[in-house]
Amino acid sequence: MDKSKIPYHVAIIPDGNRRWARHRGLKSWEGHEEGAKRIEELSRQAIKIGITCLTFWGSSVDNLTKRPLLEKRALLDIYERYFQKLVADPMIMEDQTRIGIFGRWREQFPEKLKKILQEGIEKTVRHKKTFLNFLLAYSGEDDVLAAVRKIIEKSRTQNLLDNFSAETFSRELLTADLPAVDLVIRTGVEGDPHNSCGFLMWQTQNSQLYFSEKFFPDFTGEDLICAVKSFIHRERRMGK
């Protein structure tokens, strides 16, 4: 692959964990467990092929409020174990990877897990070579509405609206620190390619989309390479 054409920012919607488990007669959280293993593989592959910024949508707000209690507990336990391992991974230091966590996880997650996530953020805050991001307790609609509310509140005491711009708006997003997404990958589409809950609405305005029939636990590093090759061979018109 031409390294100069590798997408800078790839975002993955890892759909299909529960269906993968159901097809095998397993519990839903066993699918999430396999999905966590796949995140580790894909993160390493992304660095190998030259992707600088990689973002995974870990969970929406609905995942944490509307799913069965046992599944929610299992998912939080997986997060705890995965992020403990991630923070301690020497590759994070060697590759100078900065960990970013976006969403309402501080409001939704138990204290022990929040402490682990915060440790990962603080430990890697000065890293600038590669970026590994997770959207936790996140929805795109909530992100945009939260930004609008902040702007309305600030405009009561500041003169924001006279010089209102795209930059003014983007600064107020929960995901303000995320760059524009070059390639969005969604797994588990099963003949129904679609977006979800306004996924990164602001950052995906000019993104290329790649859909895979494979459930996320089956989506390998080789599949990531195929997605990137597809991106490279397309013409990006950027809305023109």
Side-chain angles (χ1 to χ4, degrees):
M1 291 186 290
D2 183 344
K3 292 289 185 180
S4 68
K5 296 181 179 180
I6 297 290
Y8 178 87
H9 186 187
V10 175
I12 299 179
I13 303 175
D15 205 2
N17 288 345
R18 302 170 86 201
R19 284 173 287 158
W20 180 91
R22 186 167 61 247
H23 288 186
R24 288 162 175 76
L26 303 173
K27 301 294 185 183
S28 58
W29 53 82
E30 293 179 276
H32 296 314
E33 188 82 49
E34 288 300 313
K37 295 176 185 176
R38 195 60 65 209
I39 286 175
E40 185 174 353
E41 176 190 348
L42 294 173
S43 300
R44 295 186 187 282
Q45 183 71 289
I47 290 174
K48 284 182 181 179
I49 63 177
I51 295 170
T52 300
C53 186
L54 182 65
T55 298
F56 291 96
W57 190 3
S59 59
S60 67
V61 175
D62 283 352
N63 291 155
L64 299 169
T65 57
K66 297 183 179 180
R67 297 264 173 103
L69 181 60
L70 286 177
E71 182 178 352
K72 176 181 174 179
R73 285 177 175 172
L75 186 59
L76 293 175
D77 177 66
I78 291 168
Y79 284 165
E80 187 175 310
R81 288 184 283 108
Y82 173 80
F83 283 104
Q84 277 183 323
K85 183 179 179 182
L86 178 65
V87 172
D89 190 339
M91 294 295 290
I92 290 293
M93 305 305 292
E94 291 176 22
D95 295 323
Q96 288 292 290
T97 300
R98 181 172 180 173
I99 298 172
I101 315 289
F102 302 88
R104 297 198 178 275
W105 57 275
R106 288 184 175 89
E107 302 167 24
Q108 297 282 336
F109 286 1
E111 288 301 321
K112 184 178 180 182
L113 177 53
K114 287 193 288 185
K115 185 177 179 180
I116 294 169
L117 297 178
Q118 191 63 39
E119 180 186 355
I121 293 171
E122 293 174 359
K123 184 176 179 180
T124 63
V125 69
R126 297 185 184 279
H127 294 179
K128 296 180 179 180
K129 186 176 180 181
T130 59
F131 302 86
L132 180 58
N133 307 298
F134 298 89
L135 306 177
L136 303 178
Y138 165 88
S139 87
E141 181 180 278
D142 174 59
D143 196 4
V144 169
L145 291 177
V148 172
R149 293 189 191 102
K150 288 179 187 176
I151 292 168
I152 292 172
E153 185 62 32
K154 286 185 177 182
S155 67
R156 291 171 180 167
T157 56
Q158 303 174 40
N159 186 18
L160 294 178
L161 301 183
D162 287 349
N163 297 305
F164 190 79
S165 65
E167 184 180 355
T168 305
F169 177 79
S170 64
R171 282 199 303 263
E172 303 302 332
L173 291 166
L174 296 171
T175 52
D177 290 338
L178 287 179
V181 177
D182 299 301
L183 174 63
V184 175
I185 299 171
R186 185 189 181 104
T187 64
V189 296
E190 289 193 300
D192 180 27
H194 64 282
N195 203 347
S196 285
C197 203
F199 176 72
L200 289 176
M201 279 191 265
W202 191 256
Q203 292 89 348
T204 60
Q205 296 175 63
N206 290 301
S207 301
Q208 297 292 309
L209 306 178
Y210 182 90
F211 298 102
S212 173
E213 296 277 337
K214 289 187 175 182
F215 298 136
F216 185 62
D218 292 327
F219 191 84
T220 67
E222 289 301 313
D223 293 310
L224 176 61
I225 290 175
C226 289
V228 170
K229 285 182 176 179
S230 172
F231 172 87
I232 288 173
H233 290 118
R234 297 185 200 179
E235 178 186 356
R236 296 193 75 190
R237 298 184 179 89
M238 306 298 285
K240 298 179 182 179

